[in-house]
Amino acid sequence: MDCYTANWNPLGDSAFYRKYELYSMDWDLKEELRDCLVAAAPYGGPIALLRNPWRKEKVASVRPVLEIYSASGLPLASLLWKSGPVVSLGWSAEEELLCVQEDGVVLVYGLHGDFRRHFSMGNEVLQNRVLDARIFHTEFGSGVAILTGAHRFTLSANVGDLKLRRMPEVPGLQSAPSCWTTLCQERAAHILLAVGPDLYLLDHAACSAVTPPGLAPGVSSFLQMAVSFTSRHLALFTDTGYIWMGTASLKEKLCEFNCNIRAPPKQMVWCSRPRSKERAVVVAWERRLMVVGDAPESIQFVLDEDSYLVPELDGVRIFSCSTHEFLHEVPVASEEIFKIASMAPGALLLEAQKEYEKESQKADEYLREIQELGQLTQAVQQCIEAAGHEHRPDMQKSLLRAASFGKCFLDRFPPDSFVRMCQDLRVLNAIRDYHIGIPLTYSQYKQLTIQVLLDRLVLRRLYPLAIQICEYLRLPEVQGVSRILAHWACYKVQQKDVSDEDVARAINQKLGDTPGVSYSDIAARAYGCGRTELAIKLLEYEPRSGEQVPLLLKMKRSKLALSKAIESGDTDLVFTVLLHLKNELNRGDFFMTLRNQPMALSLYRQFCKHQELETLKDLYNQDDNHQELGSFHVRASYAAEERIEGRVAALQTAADAFYKAKNEFAAKATEDQMRLLRLQRRLEDELGGHFVDLSLHDTVTTLVLGGHSKRAEQLARDFRIPDKRLWWLKLTALADLEDWEELEKFSKSKKSPIGYLPFVEICMKQHNKYEAKKYASRVGPEQKVKALLLVGDVAQAADVAIEHRNEAELTLVLSHCTGTADAATADKIQRARAQAQKK
Amino acid sequence: MAFPHRPDAPELPDFSMLKRLARDQLIYLLEQQHEVDKLYKVENKPALSSNEQLCFLVRPRIKNMRYVASLVNADKLAGRTRKYKVIFSPQKFHACEMVLEEEGVYGDVSCDEWAFSLLPLDVDLLSMELPEFFRDYFLEGDQRWINTVAQALHLLSTLYGPFPNCYGIGRCTKMSYELWRKLEEEEDGETKGRRPEIGHVFLLDRDVDFVTALCSQVVYEGLVDDTFRIKCGSVDFGPEVTSSDRSLKVLLNAEDKVFNEIRNEHFSNVFGFLSQKARNLQAQYDRRRGMDIKQMKNFVSQELKGLKQEHRLLSVHIGACESIMKKKTKQDFQELIKTEHALLEGFSIRESTSYIEEHIDRQVSPLESLRLMCLLSITENGLIPKDYRSLKTQYLQSYGPEHLLTFSNLRRAGLLTEQAPGDTLTAVESKVSKLVTDKAAGKITDAFSSLAKRSNFRAISKKLNLIPRVDGEYDLKVPRDMAYVFSGAYVPLSCRLIEQVLERRSWQGLDEVVRLLNCSELAFTDMTKEDKASSESLRLILVVFLGGCTFSEVSALRFLGRERGYRFIFLTTAVTNSARLMEAMSEVKA
């Protein structure tokens, strides 16, 4: 194992640091790294280089080239920089390249050098120019901090939701601070700056001087400061070659180190990992790299070439012209296993497995040793964990083999940790490949999550790999494959050299009806690229017609949108389209469109009924729908018009419409109503009282009740009220008046068309038995029994019923025989029945 | 008297979950989102509250929007500024926002939604409380609520598992069903793999069976609804019932032990049952005599409360019965029922017509007259032209000319039509049926389609044997079939359809009936192959009435369930009856 730990360097007693190569870079740089603005994104992200001629010569004779490379040095993009001078480059959390120009404008580029957008950092920045700028990451996203020529700071904590904050002035600041950094504390971004021997902390409200606790004396200037990846720790490098390390809150010192190098370092970054034993910073000078921590000695490396440091979650990436390396603290599990002469269970297990392969009996000895201590589970876990931290697949394999070997001797070892590690490593090895160039460590991968990793692969247009990973990890389609295919399709529609048909067909072939793929989103993208025809073609594939509507509207295909909306069955959507159409088309076209869509038409009619009566009328007019037009005017005659003349006029229009609709009945009825209205008006004028709007029946009743019999008769004749109705009407009215004399006279005026039973009924309703009896005698034979029963003459009813020999009548009478008074009658009926039966 | 369920009858799903869900949502909306502290009923009058914020919880109706707009504008005139919030239930409609915009208050009002669509009125009855559904869809052809129906069904299937067997008939049914399926597909995965709790769902449009809804109800619950109008599962009994000067609000559901036993009974049995019950109660009270102290203590602490409760309920229902008796046992009512039965059976049409005419002439009741006319029209495939004219004339003379519009509505809905000479009808009919086969025609509700519909009631009645042949008196105490809900004279068409389809597990063999119902393209069966449904769930049936169902239908199906060992669950857009149907069609002066 000796050779394996050869690159391990101890720092103090507790921790080892190792540096290993990720890639050898053959990126063929035209410029020296030191002549460039360099920005490398964390989590194995891309590297952007921009030759920075302004700093040196101040004259831009040649336009510089902005180049973007993968972490393995493969070129992703290269473009001629045509905008203004750039002060700083940086990557956002979404892997967008932010280029801060001298005038405070920030240009945003995609991974492939595609221009996305730009924004300005404000007028103040524009006036005073940018002196220095930093791109930093907070929990909300990525921010930009700017130091202006006036030595003021402006920052935005999240470029996605741009809110500019101008930080307070630092009193007495005449020159640029010797160094500065952004600090994220309590969910807000602050700025820490050093001016001579003093440190100032700027928050939104104030500028306060701060002193790091336990700072060695004699400091006259700070040359570098570094905040750790998690923003928890801060390191300061002074002009005395002294390094202070403490918490970012400046409340606690962790350790200090004196390196005795007074030259300002080129870069200083933290190198630690979550739950690391040691807290160390890496300091880089031109040719020297130093790892310092809480130990009297430091680790030193010689740098052969110009190098650049990229802080990561669990270490530091170092790249130069020819190599790309990773420097980190050796994780506990690896240390336990590989440390020289380690007796940790994992180390023994690894040894055991190796012996086993050699078919040596020592395997058994080692295994026994672990088992005796009862540490086999722990050993397996250690091996699994250590495998995760190994970069080389052969080491991963041997550790996993050991774990698998140990597992055989365990009864109940849950298999998922092993399986998951195998899967994760497979994914990691795939993406670490030179061609992909994302050198994620296991811890970074876990922190980043598979979803984000997939997004990044999609961003790099590595669709097949992303899909393979999804399928390999069996991610649900909606989150995995479908999403990636959708992204692919969105990319596909941007290929302008391919014809609409081909693109649409290609997309449909790949996507089919994969669940979770929204064709409308893809179509929206196509429309965004100005390919309307393609968008429409793509929309055809969208199974949910409702989804097609908004885009169709946007593309001004309103009529198509209307039929799609109707297909979707969502009336609200139909309505949205209707209103669009209404504004877009002239009235005639709009109506014509409606005419072909009955469902939309009825919807719009409903709306008009409440909101736009005139439009409703026009609609009916256009359709020659005279029936509805007539109804419309009838309604208007009592809802919209007040004056009698207006109402009659409305009715006249209605009647005309009804004639046109060949609805003679309605037309006649309407004309009758016109007559009635006029008449009612006259009655009101002549007799007083209230007549208008009464029904014909009620009008006549009112007349009778008011004693205007003649008028009532006249009206009945004029409007041809049938005799039956008139008789009922008069009968009821006179009974209500309790004008019994008049009623009798009326009953005798001629033979009643409704018979005389109603007279009996009505009198009884008024509780006038006396009058009722009068009429009972005149009731015809069929209804005689009923009449007699009504007036309560059970006995006589019985007689009549017996006389009629009608079984139903007998039963009816019998049901009225209650109490003792009717006992005799009941008897009589029973006898009659018996007799009838005998016969 | 009361029929217990068969011992193997399945348990009903627990619908209180729906209530809790809705309540929690509402509380969250009102308290957390909108900080409401006091509730008022929305009435068409100025708001009296002096609060800085007004929040309206309304149905998405244009009328309501105009009311809100008028309030806002009134405040503006008075120089007041407040916050206005509108919560739409069950959903927001674009048209409503449009009205706010046109009234110039869109910017002042913020909108929200309360997706509450299912109110459990009883253990087996869910109502969407959308009485306007009937008019909106069946008269105006407005399909806005179909989405709401689909959403409600979707909610049910997410809560109670997928429905393995679906049957349906009617255009609206078909559209709702398709939309629902779409929703399920979009969100599949959630319900997949769940065991179905409800084995069958049967959807039907109200216009498939208007006849049943138009008949006078004679089972107790229906009669109470016809007489006193049950609103949201409770009824206001006026002084004539409570025999005091106050009126009493009574919740009518399975919780009410007395009501639960009589709700499905033919009215002629109810009184006898109640008096028997009263005697039993008295006997229970009487047990007090001769009790020793300990027994008495026991009695008071354990039984007395229950007895008192029962006593109170009993007196309420006896009061209600008396009041109904007073109204309904009169000769008029019996004549009315007789006429209805004559119409259903199709004899002495002439006499029935004159009865209706007299009914109109005497101005007995506008809605009743209208109802009888519709019943005549539907059972007879439309009125003969002479009667059509004369009845309408009589009606207009009695109740005013605005009913010209009512008749136009009824004609459009196919409720009151004129018999047309044969060939013109078939011309339109063929045109419509051509439209129906068209792809988009599933979505067409043209005014004309209903005009051409023949009701074919007589033929359907014969096919489905809706008029039971009875030898001798129909014993209403021991009902033999569902006809008991109409005194043994008629089996509700809707219920018979459900019975037949459930028996066959499809529409097979009912083709002729379906054709006669004008639903040739609109009846469907949808069964899932996988047989995960337990035998218990297969005896649970959800019946969905689009356009409303009556208590008589509910009673009839409950009876059928008891006979066959099923349990029916009802989902309706609203509980309806003949009067409500007629009101929905009537044009009344504002």
Side-chain angles (χ1 to χ4, degrees), chain A residues 350-485:
Chain A
L350 184 63
E351 210 53 37
Q353 198 268 336
K354 278 187 177 150
E355 295 300 333
Y356 173 73
E357 264 181 16
K358 283 189 233 155
E359 297 182 13
S360 155
Q361 50 156 3
K362 275 193 191 160
D364 185 49
E365 278 171 33
Y366 283 124
L367 208 54
R368 260 174 219 286
E369 198 178 330
I370 311 172
Q371 271 171 327
E372 270 162 23
L373 291 168
Q375 288 177 325
L376 192 52
T377 312
Q378 201 194 336
V380 173
Q381 278 163 350
Q382 247 174 13
C383 285
I384 295 176
E385 204 193 324
H389 293 299
E390 284 309 312
H391 186 68
R392 280 162 48 193
D394 57 324
M395 285 313 291
Q396 298 165 358
K397 275 185 199 159
S398 79
L399 283 164
L400 285 174
R401 234 181 266 129
S404 156
F405 176 68
K407 243 158 45 94
C408 299
F409 302 94
L410 280 171
D411 274 346
R412 273 193 207 91
F413 187 82
D416 27 323
S417 64
F418 180 77
V419 173
R420 211 174 308 123
M421 182 56 80
C422 291
Q423 290 178 334
D424 286 341
L425 281 176
R426 196 138 180 225
V427 172
L428 281 175
N429 289 335
I431 57 161
R432 282 171 189 166
D433 186 274
Y434 181 80
H435 297 284
I436 310 297
I438 306 179
L440 279 186
T441 65
Y442 182 75
S443 323
Q444 290 166 17
Y445 167 66
K446 284 291 151 187
Q447 178 76 19
L448 200 61
T449 73
I450 182 70
Q451 263 69 32
V452 179
L453 176 62
L454 288 173
D455 281 346
R456 299 210 157 171
L457 289 175
V458 164
L459 213 58
R460 285 165 174 73
R461 296 177 194 153
L462 299 167
Y463 306 106
L465 177 66
I467 287 177
Q468 271 170 6
I469 291 178
C470 292
E471 283 169 352
Y472 175 64
L473 295 179
R474 299 213 182 102
L475 295 183
E477 284 210 328
V478 179
Q479 293 170 30
V481 175
S482 312
R483 205 164 53 105
I484 291 157
L485 281 174

Side-chain angles (χ1 to χ4, degrees), chain A residues 78-133:
Chain A
S78 166
L79 60 137
L80 216 54
W81 188 258
K82 290 176 183 161
S83 312
V86 175
V87 176
S88 179
L89 293 178
W91 292 92
S92 74
E94 294 84 32
E95 296 203 322
E96 284 180 324
L97 183 63
L98 307 177
C99 310
V100 186
Q101 292 193 144
E102 201 177 21
D103 56 1
V105 173
V106 181
L107 300 156
V108 184
Y109 284 87
L111 198 61
H112 296 276
D114 42 324
F115 177 72
R116 295 274 166 86
R117 63 205 154 91
H118 70 90
F119 57 88
S120 164
M121 292 299 289
N123 257 337
E124 200 260 347
V125 179
L126 176 67
Q127 276 163 21
N128 296 318
R129 318 308 280 178
V130 178
L131 211 58
D132 196 4

Side-chain angles (χ1 to χ4, degrees), chain A residues 175 531 655:
Chain A
S175 59
R531 300 179 76 165

